[in-house]
């Protein structure tokens, strides 16, 4: 892991933490403590990440992803630990595509749409589907 990878990841996660309502800029560190408590991790792990001293371990990354409502896959890729090739998404096209349907709710979760914005996502995305009968799901092609 290079310093620039750690800095890039820390910059991204800082913005994500702020958007989720954690005040990490307070000199007293209340937002950092609250984030650590909600994630069930040590405050020092959060502090070390935000101070660009070290990358969190896998379990801490998983717990932070859950609290920050972002897929663990995205956290691992953005951290530089793994690549998109290491963690491929299932194909929705081609002859070997599975015969399952992806609902708009599942798509929203998979894309990391925050829970409070999912209803709007589903409403907007549903407008692009061929007819009202299929608005709840998208068939693989």
């Amino acid at each position: 892991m290079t310093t620039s990878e750690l800095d890039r990841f820390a910059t991204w996660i800082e913005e994500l933490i702020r958007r989720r309502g954690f005040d990490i800029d307070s000199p007293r560190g209340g937002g950092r403590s609250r984030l650590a408590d909600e994630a069930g991790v040590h405050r020092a792990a959060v502090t070390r990440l935000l101070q660009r001293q070290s990358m969190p371990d896998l379990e801490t990354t998983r717990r932070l992803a859950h609290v920050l409502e972002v897929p663990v896959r995205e956290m691992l890729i953005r951290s530089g630990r793994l690549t998109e090739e290491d963690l491929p998404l299932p194909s929705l096209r081609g002859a070997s595509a599975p015969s399952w349907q992806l609902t708009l709710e599942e798509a929203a979760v998979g894309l990391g749409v925050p829970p409070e914005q999912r209803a709007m996502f589903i409403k907007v995305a549903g407008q692009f589907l061929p007819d009202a009968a299929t608005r709840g799901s998208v068939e693989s092609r």
Side-chain angles (χ1 to χ4, degrees), residues 76-129:
L76 293 172
I77 291 170
R78 286 186 177 265
S79 73
R81 288 185 171 165
L82 296 170
T83 66
E84 290 189 44
E85 292 77 32
D86 295 328
L87 295 171
L89 290 171
S91 173
L92 295 178
R93 298 180 188 261
S96 63
S99 60
W100 49 266
Q101 293 183 339
L102 178 66
T103 67
L104 291 175
E105 177 71 23
E106 291 167 335
V109 170
L111 290 169
V113 176
E116 64 274 8
Q117 295 176 343
R118 287 185 190 150
M120 180 58 71
F121 172 87
I122 291 167
K123 181 177 179 180
V124 171
Q127 296 174 7
F128 294 96
L129 297 177

Side-chain angles (χ1 to χ4, degrees), residues 1-11 13-14 32 42-57 81:
M1 154 125 348
T2 67
T3 304
S4 65
E5 287 174 327
L6 178 57
D7 186 54
R8 195 170 35 253
F9 180 68
T11 299
I13 205 163
E14 281 176 347
R32 293 175 187 204
H42 291 283
R43 185 178 185 277
V46 173
T47 298
R48 283 191 304 269
L49 171 60
L50 296 177
Q51 291 179 348
R52 288 141 172 87
Q53 295 174 347
S54 69
M55 188 67 70
D57 62 31
R81 288 185 171 165

